[in-house]
Each structure stands twice: as structure tokens, then as C-alpha cells.
Amino acid sequence: MPQTRVVVVGSANMDLVAMAPSLPRPGETMLGTDFVMVPGGKGANQAIAAVRAGASCVFLGAIGSDAFGVTLRARITAAGVDTDQLRVAYGTSGVAVVMVNAQGENAIVVTPGANDALVDLTEEELATVRAADVLVTQLEIPVQTVTTAALVARAAGTRVILNAAPARDLPPELLAAVDLLVVNEGEAQAFTGRGREDPRALLDLVPRAVLTLGGDGAWYVDRDGTEVHVPAVAVDVVDSTAAGDAFTAALAVGWGEGRDVVDAVRWASAAGAACVRKLGASVALPRRAEIDELYAPG
């Protein structure tokens, strides 16, 4: 089977992750139980996850000129991602401060830093997008950059997967270029005013959509009338921070390899479950064998 060529256009952050028995309330100081500092950002996470799931992947993003930027490039490259076109912007890299409780739930504050400098894609970067089998992008970078990449991909016949997180206003031309939308329930509510009770509301925006529901699985819907609930894989949850990124990347790889899209969602669900068993973002992203171990065909 030819290796799927994935291009990820997105964010890179340094994740500062603290574990505590519960998430602190406003004004409360709490003693934590563990701390890790790992590369993150939805773009970098999804790029690393795509490689671990079996794809070749080019990451188009921006890091700062600070020490975090040096570490980010080294770690992302070491994971097997092509970072030859990764930009360096003067100033700070993106940073995410992540708090995780004993149940694996999290609260995250992200400061974009260099990610906001990812604008005006070059001809070389656009050529990379055109050559991909699948483009994966998110909303932690400027929306105009996401739109440009999606329009170029659509014109070239490259599939476009948009993980619309965090929820932001989306221009009609971007939505028109999206082949598959991936959102969680909060994001679905923001875009359509509807959640799990009506996943088909997302089809007013795009032709295909996946609504992820954490431990309650995911819905896949499309304009051909398909509406399938994929149950979550039961595992012991340690940290859910990067589960959505593992899911989205595996979905892109599976679909790009020629799986039926519903089967690709099932495989992606296994990837998300494998991810939550470990602490941290990029360090928890599962390898293909771990995904296959939990994958249950429909």
C-alpha cells in the first residue's frame, strides 16, 4: 500500500502540563502531582500523530526564535515529520498551559506567539499542499491562512480535513473547500447551536462531518444520508489532552489509505483511545500497532 502523503498546516506550541487531583477554581492554588513539558499545538500534534499512524507528513507552521522554538523543531523532526519548511518568527513560540485532573479532564490556556505569524503562504508551501493526498488543518493559526491552504488543496484535488478547533467564525469560501469537518460537541454547539442531539446540523456547513463525544464515541454524518454512531473504545483514561489530535490524524491517514470513511472513523476512535492512556500531548500519540490493537471493525 502506498504511503499516504499528509500535509498539516497548523500550530506548534510548547505544552506545560501539570497534573493535580482536581482542576483549581478561580483564585485557588493547588498542589500538583506531576509536571511535564512537551511539544504540542494541534498542528504539531496532528503531524506527529500522522507519522506514527503510518503516513509521510510535512508540517507547515511557525515557531519562535526562543529556546522553546529550538526544542520544538528538534522534537518534531525527531518524530519523523518533515520540518524543512517550518518557519522561524522573531519572538516567542506558542505556549499552552495545561491542567489535568485525576479523571483525565483538562483545562487549557494557549498563547499563540509565533503561530500568528503564519500568514501569506509562499509558493513553495502552496506547492507542498498541492502535492498532498490529504490536507489537515485547524484554527489555532490565522483563519485566512487556513482558507488559502484549503482553497489551493481543493483546486488540486487534495482532500481537505478541517478540525475546527477552537471554534471561530468561518468564511463561506473556507467551508466550501472542506471535504470533512471534525468538531467536538462544544464546537458543534458554537457553529450550529446543536450538539449530539442533531449531528446532521453540521451538514448545513459541509458535505461530511464527524462529531466527537469523548467517552461517548463519535457520530459520522454525510449528505448522502449516512448517520453512524461509532462507540468509544473502553480504556483507563490518564490524560485526554491530545486525544482529538490523535483521532483527526488517524482519520486522515485511514481515509487517505483508501478505507471507507466510516471505517476510518472507527480506526480513528481506536487512536483516540490509545492516546488517553498516557500523560502529555505529543508523547502520548499512538503508533500504528497501538491503534490496530484497539481497532474493532464494524
Side-chain angles (χ1 to χ4, degrees):
M1 177 187 301
Q3 197 173 33
T4 298
R5 296 168 299 173
V6 174
V7 169
V8 175
V9 178
S11 58
N13 298 321
M14 185 59 75
D15 287 356
L16 311 177
V17 185
M19 293 282 290
S22 60
L23 299 178
R25 297 183 296 271
E28 180 181 14
T29 298
M30 180 173 293
L31 286 177
T33 57
D34 201 1
F35 173 80
V36 293
M37 185 176 73
V38 293
K42 297 191 73 63
N45 286 346
Q46 290 173 12
I48 294 170
V51 169
R52 291 185 178 174
S56 65
C57 183
V58 178
F59 178 48
L60 302 179
I63 54 176
S65 56
D66 56 359
F68 283 164
V70 174
T71 303
L72 282 168
R73 181 186 291 278
R75 298 274 187 92
I76 297 168
T77 304
V81 177
D82 184 337
T83 59
D84 286 352
Q85 296 176 70
L86 182 59
R87 300 184 186 185
V88 177
Y90 180 77
T92 62
S93 298
V95 173
V97 179
V98 184
M99 296 176 290
V100 183
N101 69 13
Q103 291 73 46
E105 299 169 320
N106 61 67
I108 306 173
V109 175
V110 177
T111 56
N115 294 302
D116 278 347
L118 188 62
V119 294
D120 299 325
L121 295 177
T122 67
E123 185 50 46
E124 182 183 8
E125 290 168 332
L126 295 176
T128 297
V129 170
R130 293 187 187 99
D133 296 313
V134 185
L135 168 69
V136 178
T137 189
Q138 327 78 28
L139 299 175
E140 289 181 342
I141 58 174
V143 173
Q144 64 266 33
T145 304
V146 176
T147 302
T148 298
L151 289 171
V152 167
R154 167 54 67 90
T158 296
R159 286 175 171 166
V160 178
I161 296 179
L162 173 62
N163 178 204
R168 303 167 67 175
D169 290 338
L170 300 180
E173 59 268 29
L174 170 57
L175 292 171
V178 171
D179 293 296
L180 177 58
L181 181 72
V182 180
V183 292
N184 64 23
E185 190 163 20
E187 291 148 5
Q189 288 278 1
F191 289 123
T192 70
R194 310 286 288 174
R196 69 183 69 200
E197 74 278 7
D198 187 15
R200 296 192 66 82
L202 293 166
L203 300 179
D204 291 338
L205 306 175
V206 293
R208 302 173 193 84
V210 176
L211 172 59
T212 62
L213 299 169
D216 291 330
W219 283 97
Y220 169 76
V221 294
D222 63 35
R223 289 177 181 169
D224 293 330
T226 307
E227 185 172 340
V228 177
H229 179 255
V230 175
V233 181
V235 294
D236 292 330
V237 177
V238 174
D239 180 7
S240 63
T241 302
D245 297 331
F247 180 101
T248 300
L251 177 59
V253 175
W255 197 27
E257 288 177 347
R259 292 176 186 262
D260 172 86
V261 65
V262 174
D263 187 53
V265 173
R266 296 185 190 280
W267 198 62
S269 181
C275 183
V276 303
R277 299 184 296 184
K278 300 176 184 178
L279 175 64
S282 60
V283 294
L285 297 168
R287 300 188 182 277
R288 192 177 183 101
E290 298 174 273
I291 301 172
D292 287 339
E293 177 189 354
L294 295 179
Y295 164 64

